[in-house]
Amino acid sequence: MPPFVNTECKNCNKLNRFDLAELRKEDGSLVKGVLYRGEEDNEEVFEKTCQHCGRKFKFTVKGGADGAKK
């Protein structure tokens, strides 16, 4: 079972759920970048459309290379 990301929309404050593997696979404007602060600690910033209000919002996924939350 793939890992899922539960994040709250910054516009409507409703919960959205995304498949982390699919987010990482998608090309182009959705993956804005990876900020490395250490070898094991990184953040991935994604921009997605809210499933409820339809507006775009950005969110950060924190974790190691394996996606596990540190």
Side-chain angles (χ1 to χ4, degrees):
M1 184 170 181
F4 288 96
V5 176
N6 293 319
T7 184
E8 194 173 280
C9 175
K10 308 295 187 230
N11 303 307
C12 68
N13 297 324
K14 291 191 178 178
L15 191 63
N16 288 270
R17 184 175 181 182
F18 300 105
D19 181 349
L20 185 57
E22 289 294 320
L23 289 174
R24 288 180 174 159
K25 261 199 295 190
E26 293 174 351
D27 294 332
S29 63
L30 297 183
V31 178
K32 293 294 184 182
V34 178
L35 306 172
Y36 292 101
R37 293 197 178 128
E39 284 185 27
E40 295 180 17
D41 199 21
N42 65 43
E43 297 178 345
E44 294 174 283
V45 180
F46 298 97
E47 181 178 8
K48 291 293 286 181
T49 303
C50 177
Q51 299 162 345
H52 303 281
C53 69
R55 296 172 63 189
K56 288 188 177 185
F57 69 101
K58 293 181 184 179
F59 61 95
T60 303
V61 177
K62 297 179 183 178
D66 60 355
K69 195 171 186 179
K70 303 284 180 184

mmCIF file of all heavy atoms in Angstrom, residues 18-34 43-50 55-61:
data_model
loop_
_atom_site.group_PDB
_atom_site.id
_atom_site.type_symbol
_atom_site.label_atom_id
_atom_site.label_comp_id
_atom_site.label_asym_id
_atom_site.label_seq_id
_atom_site.Cartn_x
_atom_site.Cartn_y
_atom_site.Cartn_z
ATOM 1 N N PHE A 18 -3.508 12.743 -0.813
ATOM 2 C CA PHE A 18 -2.797 12.504 -2.060
ATOM 3 C C PHE A 18 -1.873 11.311 -1.899
ATOM 4 O O PHE A 18 -1.326 11.071 -0.828
ATOM 5 C CB PHE A 18 -1.961 13.730 -2.456
ATOM 6 C CG PHE A 18 -2.763 14.974 -2.667
ATOM 7 C CD1 PHE A 18 -2.752 15.986 -1.725
ATOM 8 C CD2 PHE A 18 -3.544 15.136 -3.794
ATOM 9 C CE1 PHE A 18 -3.488 17.142 -1.904
ATOM 10 C CE2 PHE A 18 -4.291 16.283 -3.979
ATOM 11 C CZ PHE A 18 -4.261 17.283 -3.039
ATOM 12 N N ASP A 19 -1.667 10.562 -2.981
ATOM 13 C CA ASP A 19 -0.734 9.442 -3.021
ATOM 14 C C ASP A 19 0.671 10.013 -3.207
ATOM 15 O O ASP A 19 0.955 10.671 -4.203
ATOM 16 C CB ASP A 19 -1.110 8.523 -4.175
ATOM 17 C CG ASP A 19 -0.221 7.301 -4.291
ATOM 18 O OD1 ASP A 19 0.832 7.236 -3.621
ATOM 19 O OD2 ASP A 19 -0.581 6.411 -5.073
ATOM 20 N N LEU A 20 1.563 9.778 -2.253
ATOM 21 C CA LEU A 20 2.899 10.351 -2.295
ATOM 22 C C LEU A 20 3.697 9.843 -3.491
ATOM 23 O O LEU A 20 4.433 10.602 -4.121
ATOM 24 C CB LEU A 20 3.648 10.054 -0.993
ATOM 25 C CG LEU A 20 5.015 10.683 -0.822
ATOM 26 C CD1 LEU A 20 4.936 12.199 -0.944
ATOM 27 C CD2 LEU A 20 5.624 10.301 0.498
ATOM 28 N N ALA A 21 3.551 8.583 -3.858
ATOM 29 C CA ALA A 21 4.269 8.031 -5.004
ATOM 30 C C ALA A 21 3.833 8.723 -6.298
ATOM 31 O O ALA A 21 4.658 9.028 -7.156
ATOM 32 C CB ALA A 21 4.047 6.527 -5.096
ATOM 33 N N GLU A 22 2.546 8.986 -6.436
ATOM 34 C CA GLU A 22 2.042 9.684 -7.623
ATOM 35 C C GLU A 22 2.536 11.130 -7.670
ATOM 36 O O GLU A 22 2.863 11.644 -8.731
ATOM 37 C CB GLU A 22 0.515 9.657 -7.660
ATOM 38 C CG GLU A 22 -0.060 8.297 -7.967
ATOM 39 C CD GLU A 22 0.265 7.823 -9.377
ATOM 40 O OE1 GLU A 22 0.231 8.640 -10.314
ATOM 41 O OE2 GLU A 22 0.573 6.633 -9.523
ATOM 42 N N LEU A 23 2.594 11.784 -6.523
ATOM 43 C CA LEU A 23 3.098 13.151 -6.479
ATOM 44 C C LEU A 23 4.541 13.223 -6.940
ATOM 45 O O LEU A 23 4.934 14.127 -7.671
ATOM 46 C CB LEU A 23 2.992 13.725 -5.060
ATOM 47 C CG LEU A 23 1.614 14.040 -4.538
ATOM 48 C CD1 LEU A 23 1.692 14.446 -3.071
ATOM 49 C CD2 LEU A 23 0.969 15.151 -5.342
ATOM 50 N N ARG A 24 5.329 12.259 -6.510
ATOM 51 C CA ARG A 24 6.750 12.247 -6.882
ATOM 52 C C ARG A 24 6.953 11.882 -8.342
ATOM 53 O O ARG A 24 7.931 12.289 -8.959
ATOM 54 C CB ARG A 24 7.508 11.270 -5.987
ATOM 55 C CG ARG A 24 7.658 11.789 -4.577
ATOM 56 C CD ARG A 24 8.394 10.826 -3.705
ATOM 57 N NE ARG A 24 8.635 11.413 -2.394
ATOM 58 C CZ ARG A 24 8.891 10.718 -1.306
ATOM 59 N NH1 ARG A 24 8.927 9.400 -1.357
ATOM 60 N NH2 ARG A 24 9.098 11.336 -0.164
ATOM 61 N N LYS A 25 6.040 11.087 -8.925
ATOM 62 C CA LYS A 25 6.155 10.679 -10.325
ATOM 63 C C LYS A 25 5.789 11.790 -11.300
ATOM 64 O O LYS A 25 6.321 11.847 -12.403
ATOM 65 C CB LYS A 25 5.244 9.482 -10.601
ATOM 66 C CG LYS A 25 5.952 8.163 -10.594
ATOM 67 C CD LYS A 25 5.160 7.090 -11.289
ATOM 68 C CE LYS A 25 3.867 6.766 -10.596
ATOM 69 N NZ LYS A 25 3.210 5.581 -11.125
ATOM 70 N N GLU A 26 4.855 12.644 -10.905
ATOM 71 C CA GLU A 26 4.348 13.664 -11.816
ATOM 72 C C GLU A 26 5.429 14.678 -12.144
ATOM 73 O O GLU A 26 6.194 15.091 -11.287
ATOM 74 C CB GLU A 26 3.138 14.367 -11.203
ATOM 75 C CG GLU A 26 1.947 13.449 -11.073
ATOM 76 C CD GLU A 26 0.793 14.092 -10.339
ATOM 77 O OE1 GLU A 26 0.959 15.187 -9.783
ATOM 78 O OE2 GLU A 26 -0.282 13.481 -10.327
ATOM 79 N N ASP A 27 5.467 15.062 -13.396
ATOM 80 C CA ASP A 27 6.476 16.015 -13.865
ATOM 81 C C ASP A 27 5.938 17.432 -13.859
ATOM 82 O O ASP A 27 4.758 17.673 -13.638
ATOM 83 C CB ASP A 27 6.896 15.681 -15.297
ATOM 84 C CG ASP A 27 7.628 14.368 -15.403
ATOM 85 O OD1 ASP A 27 8.267 13.965 -14.426
ATOM 86 O OD2 ASP A 27 7.570 13.775 -16.471
ATOM 87 N N GLY A 28 6.828 18.375 -14.164
ATOM 88 C CA GLY A 28 6.411 19.747 -14.433
ATOM 89 C C GLY A 28 6.204 20.592 -13.209
ATOM 90 O O GLY A 28 6.977 20.570 -12.273
ATOM 91 N N SER A 29 5.110 21.353 -13.222
ATOM 92 C CA SER A 29 4.920 22.413 -12.245
ATOM 93 C C SER A 29 4.468 21.938 -10.873
ATOM 94 O O SER A 29 4.450 22.723 -9.950
ATOM 95 C CB SER A 29 3.893 23.413 -12.778
ATOM 96 O OG SER A 29 2.644 22.773 -12.930
ATOM 97 N N LEU A 30 4.114 20.661 -10.729
ATOM 98 C CA LEU A 30 3.590 20.225 -9.433
ATOM 99 C C LEU A 30 4.690 20.064 -8.388
ATOM 100 O O LEU A 30 4.499 20.388 -7.241
ATOM 101 C CB LEU A 30 2.816 18.921 -9.576
ATOM 102 C CG LEU A 30 1.570 18.998 -10.443
ATOM 103 C CD1 LEU A 30 0.855 17.662 -10.438
ATOM 104 C CD2 LEU A 30 0.633 20.083 -9.969
ATOM 105 N N VAL A 31 5.836 19.583 -8.800
ATOM 106 C CA VAL A 31 6.950 19.439 -7.867
ATOM 107 C C VAL A 31 7.813 20.685 -8.008
ATOM 108 O O VAL A 31 8.472 20.878 -9.002
ATOM 109 C CB VAL A 31 7.769 18.163 -8.154
ATOM 110 C CG1 VAL A 31 8.940 18.066 -7.196
ATOM 111 C CG2 VAL A 31 6.904 16.930 -8.063
ATOM 112 N N LYS A 32 7.767 21.527 -7.014
ATOM 113 C CA LYS A 32 8.493 22.792 -7.074
ATOM 114 C C LYS A 32 9.952 22.657 -6.698
ATOM 115 O O LYS A 32 10.774 23.417 -7.150
ATOM 116 C CB LYS A 32 7.825 23.834 -6.152
ATOM 117 C CG LYS A 32 6.464 24.236 -6.632
ATOM 118 C CD LYS A 32 6.565 24.974 -7.931
ATOM 119 C CE LYS A 32 5.210 25.467 -8.361
ATOM 120 N NZ LYS A 32 5.215 26.148 -9.609
ATOM 121 N N GLY A 33 10.293 21.694 -5.840
ATOM 122 C CA GLY A 33 11.692 21.528 -5.490
ATOM 123 C C GLY A 33 11.888 20.743 -4.221
ATOM 124 O O GLY A 33 10.955 20.477 -3.491
ATOM 125 N N VAL A 34 13.110 20.390 -3.994
ATOM 126 C CA VAL A 34 13.497 19.690 -2.776
ATOM 127 C C VAL A 34 14.551 20.542 -2.090
ATOM 128 O O VAL A 34 15.535 20.925 -2.693
ATOM 129 C CB VAL A 34 14.061 18.290 -3.089
ATOM 130 C CG1 VAL A 34 14.513 17.592 -1.826
ATOM 131 C CG2 VAL A 34 13.033 17.450 -3.820
ATOM 132 N N GLU A 43 12.867 18.261 2.567
ATOM 133 C CA GLU A 43 11.478 18.674 2.418
ATOM 134 C C GLU A 43 11.143 18.720 0.935
ATOM 135 O O GLU A 43 11.937 19.183 0.136
ATOM 136 C CB GLU A 43 11.258 20.061 3.015
ATOM 137 C CG GLU A 43 11.491 20.150 4.496
ATOM 138 C CD GLU A 43 11.292 21.562 5.013
ATOM 139 O OE1 GLU A 43 11.255 22.509 4.210
ATOM 140 O OE2 GLU A 43 11.197 21.711 6.239
ATOM 141 N N GLU A 44 9.986 18.230 0.588
ATOM 142 C CA GLU A 44 9.505 18.317 -0.781
ATOM 143 C C GLU A 44 8.290 19.232 -0.781
ATOM 144 O O GLU A 44 7.382 19.062 0.027
ATOM 145 C CB GLU A 44 9.135 16.937 -1.302
ATOM 146 C CG GLU A 44 10.325 16.018 -1.429
ATOM 147 C CD GLU A 44 9.908 14.620 -1.820
ATOM 148 O OE1 GLU A 44 9.431 13.892 -0.948
ATOM 149 O OE2 GLU A 44 10.055 14.298 -3.014
ATOM 150 N N VAL A 45 8.290 20.190 -1.707
ATOM 151 C CA VAL A 45 7.203 21.155 -1.787
ATOM 152 C C VAL A 45 6.382 20.838 -3.039
ATOM 153 O O VAL A 45 6.932 20.741 -4.137
ATOM 154 C CB VAL A 45 7.747 22.601 -1.849
ATOM 155 C CG1 VAL A 45 6.605 23.583 -1.934
ATOM 156 C CG2 VAL A 45 8.626 22.882 -0.642
ATOM 157 N N PHE A 46 5.090 20.668 -2.851
ATOM 158 C CA PHE A 46 4.185 20.352 -3.948
ATOM 159 C C PHE A 46 3.107 21.426 -4.051
ATOM 160 O O PHE A 46 2.754 22.059 -3.054
ATOM 161 C CB PHE A 46 3.493 19.005 -3.717
ATOM 162 C CG PHE A 46 4.444 17.841 -3.660
ATOM 163 C CD1 PHE A 46 4.880 17.350 -2.452
ATOM 164 C CD2 PHE A 46 4.893 17.249 -4.822
ATOM 165 C CE1 PHE A 46 5.748 16.277 -2.378
ATOM 166 C CE2 PHE A 46 5.767 16.171 -4.768
ATOM 167 C CZ PHE A 46 6.189 15.692 -3.548
ATOM 168 N N GLU A 47 2.585 21.604 -5.261
ATOM 169 C CA GLU A 47 1.451 22.497 -5.492
ATOM 170 C C GLU A 47 0.360 21.668 -6.156
ATOM 171 O O GLU A 47 0.572 21.095 -7.220
ATOM 172 C CB GLU A 47 1.847 23.664 -6.385
ATOM 173 C CG GLU A 47 0.702 24.632 -6.621
ATOM 174 C CD GLU A 47 1.096 25.817 -7.476
ATOM 175 O OE1 GLU A 47 2.213 25.823 -8.024
ATOM 176 O OE2 GLU A 47 0.277 26.717 -7.608
ATOM 177 N N LYS A 48 -0.785 21.578 -5.496
ATOM 178 C CA LYS A 48 -1.907 20.795 -6.008
ATOM 179 C C LYS A 48 -3.188 21.608 -5.937
ATOM 180 O O LYS A 48 -3.258 22.630 -5.272
ATOM 181 C CB LYS A 48 -2.093 19.518 -5.178
ATOM 182 C CG LYS A 48 -1.005 18.493 -5.324
ATOM 183 C CD LYS A 48 -0.953 17.891 -6.698
ATOM 184 C CE LYS A 48 -2.086 16.923 -6.903
ATOM 185 N NZ LYS A 48 -2.103 16.275 -8.190
ATOM 186 N N THR A 49 -4.220 21.111 -6.596
ATOM 187 C CA THR A 49 -5.542 21.725 -6.564
ATOM 188 C C THR A 49 -6.363 21.037 -5.488
ATOM 189 O O THR A 49 -6.391 19.805 -5.393
ATOM 190 C CB THR A 49 -6.227 21.571 -7.931
ATOM 191 O OG1 THR A 49 -5.393 22.165 -8.933
ATOM 192 C CG2 THR A 49 -7.578 22.251 -7.938
ATOM 193 N N CYS A 50 -7.047 21.825 -4.669
ATOM 194 C CA CYS A 50 -7.884 21.299 -3.600
ATOM 195 C C CYS A 50 -9.035 20.492 -4.197
ATOM 196 O O CYS A 50 -9.656 20.897 -5.180
ATOM 197 C CB CYS A 50 -8.423 22.441 -2.743
ATOM 198 S SG CYS A 50 -9.546 21.901 -1.428
ATOM 199 N N ARG A 55 -9.170 25.388 -5.689
ATOM 200 C CA ARG A 55 -8.095 26.375 -5.746
ATOM 201 C C ARG A 55 -6.756 25.699 -5.465
ATOM 202 O O ARG A 55 -6.680 24.726 -4.729
ATOM 203 C CB ARG A 55 -8.346 27.490 -4.736
ATOM 204 C CG ARG A 55 -9.607 28.276 -5.073
ATOM 205 C CD ARG A 55 -9.987 29.251 -4.005
ATOM 206 N NE ARG A 55 -8.965 30.275 -3.831
ATOM 207 C CZ ARG A 55 -8.964 31.157 -2.851
ATOM 208 N NH1 ARG A 55 -9.923 31.146 -1.946
ATOM 209 N NH2 ARG A 55 -8.016 32.052 -2.761
ATOM 210 N N LYS A 56 -5.686 26.239 -6.065
ATOM 211 C CA LYS A 56 -4.362 25.676 -5.865
ATOM 212 C C LYS A 56 -3.801 26.096 -4.521
ATOM 213 O O LYS A 56 -4.059 27.189 -4.045
ATOM 214 C CB LYS A 56 -3.415 26.134 -6.970
ATOM 215 C CG LYS A 56 -3.694 25.490 -8.293
ATOM 216 C CD LYS A 56 -2.629 25.830 -9.285
ATOM 217 C CE LYS A 56 -2.901 25.106 -10.588
ATOM 218 N NZ LYS A 56 -1.828 25.299 -11.549
ATOM 219 N N PHE A 57 -3.031 25.182 -3.910
ATOM 220 C CA PHE A 57 -2.333 25.484 -2.668
ATOM 221 C C PHE A 57 -1.044 24.674 -2.628
ATOM 222 O O PHE A 57 -0.900 23.678 -3.317
ATOM 223 C CB PHE A 57 -3.208 25.182 -1.446
ATOM 224 C CG PHE A 57 -3.469 23.718 -1.201
ATOM 225 C CD1 PHE A 57 -2.753 23.030 -0.243
ATOM 226 C CD2 PHE A 57 -4.436 23.042 -1.926
ATOM 227 C CE1 PHE A 57 -2.996 21.687 -0.015
ATOM 228 C CE2 PHE A 57 -4.690 21.707 -1.698
ATOM 229 C CZ PHE A 57 -3.958 21.020 -0.744
ATOM 230 N N LYS A 58 -0.085 25.157 -1.860
ATOM 231 C CA LYS A 58 1.202 24.485 -1.724
ATOM 232 C C LYS A 58 1.270 23.812 -0.363
ATOM 233 O O LYS A 58 0.716 24.306 0.612
ATOM 234 C CB LYS A 58 2.346 25.489 -1.827
ATOM 235 C CG LYS A 58 2.484 26.098 -3.189
ATOM 236 C CD LYS A 58 3.643 27.070 -3.220
ATOM 237 C CE LYS A 58 3.715 27.752 -4.567
ATOM 238 N NZ LYS A 58 4.806 28.717 -4.623
ATOM 239 N N PHE A 59 1.975 22.681 -0.323
ATOM 240 C CA PHE A 59 2.200 22.002 0.944
ATOM 241 C C PHE A 59 3.565 21.342 0.910
ATOM 242 O O PHE A 59 4.132 21.099 -0.145
ATOM 243 C CB PHE A 59 1.088 20.988 1.261
ATOM 244 C CG PHE A 59 0.953 19.878 0.252
ATOM 245 C CD1 PHE A 59 1.578 18.662 0.450
ATOM 246 C CD2 PHE A 59 0.164 20.057 -0.878
ATOM 247 C CE1 PHE A 59 1.436 17.646 -0.479
ATOM 248 C CE2 PHE A 59 0.015 19.039 -1.810
ATOM 249 C CZ PHE A 59 0.651 17.832 -1.606
ATOM 250 N N THR A 60 4.101 21.083 2.090
ATOM 251 C CA THR A 60 5.426 20.526 2.250
ATOM 252 C C THR A 60 5.330 19.145 2.861
ATOM 253 O O THR A 60 4.599 18.930 3.822
ATOM 254 C CB THR A 60 6.275 21.423 3.160
ATOM 255 O OG1 THR A 60 6.312 22.737 2.603
ATOM 256 C CG2 THR A 60 7.695 20.903 3.294
ATOM 257 N N VAL A 61 6.098 18.204 2.297
ATOM 258 C CA VAL A 61 6.193 16.859 2.846
ATOM 259 C C VAL A 61 7.582 16.747 3.453
ATOM 260 O O VAL A 61 8.583 16.926 2.761
ATOM 261 C CB VAL A 61 5.995 15.787 1.763
ATOM 262 C CG1 VAL A 61 6.167 14.399 2.348
ATOM 263 C CG2 VAL A 61 4.629 15.926 1.126
#
